[in-house]
Amino acid sequence: MSSPFDKLFKQAQQMGQDMQQAAKDLYNLEVTGEAAGGLVEVVINARREVRRVQIDDSVMDDKSMLEDLIAAAFNDAVHKADKMLSQKVGGMARGFGGPSGS
């Protein structure tokens, strides 16, 4: 016969495995940041690793502007990724009985 502590231990182990899988799933998500109405797009994953950069031909002639647009698109992607992660992590915490926040 198993004790209540055995059951609690098994639940904690399962929760840990579920959290590890959820973290892996989160890091596979991609976020697209953009600048100048999509003329420059940067796709990053949740680890902030750049996956793709797309640049419209119309902005290729102005190096200084292009550099600024790439930086802006990357920053946009980072902000979106941070927001997405905080929403997903908050949802997971509520799902595991954590605080619900506001």
Side-chain angles (χ1 to χ4, degrees), residues 34-80:
E34 61 179 49
L39 293 177
V40 175
E41 292 183 348
V42 174
V43 178
I44 65 170
N45 65 14
R47 290 184 178 137
R48 297 181 178 176
E49 297 168 333
V50 176
R51 296 294 190 190
R52 286 183 302 285
V53 176
Q54 293 180 297
I55 302 170
D56 189 272
D57 290 338
S58 66
V59 295
M60 296 296 284
D61 293 337
D62 188 341
K63 181 180 184 257
S64 178
M65 179 181 69
L66 180 57
E67 291 168 345
D68 290 342
L69 292 175
I70 292 170
F74 181 78
N75 289 334
D76 182 46
V78 167
H79 293 291
K80 287 178 180 177

Side-chain angles (χ1 to χ4, degrees), residues 6-33:
D6 290 337
K7 184 177 178 182
L8 184 62
F9 181 71
K10 287 180 184 178
Q11 286 176 337
Q13 280 183 318
Q14 184 62 48
M15 188 169 68
Q17 291 171 352
D18 292 347
M19 289 293 285
Q20 285 179 337
Q21 184 60 47
K24 286 179 188 176
D25 292 345
L26 277 176
Y27 282 120
N28 289 328
L29 294 176
E30 292 184 342
V31 178
T32 301

Side-chain angles (χ1 to χ4, degrees), residues 26-27 46-47 80-90:
L26 277 176
Y27 282 120
R47 290 184 178 137
K80 287 178 180 177
D82 287 346
K83 183 176 180 179
M84 177 193 67
L85 283 173
S86 99
Q87 289 172 343
K88 297 235 182 230
V89 169

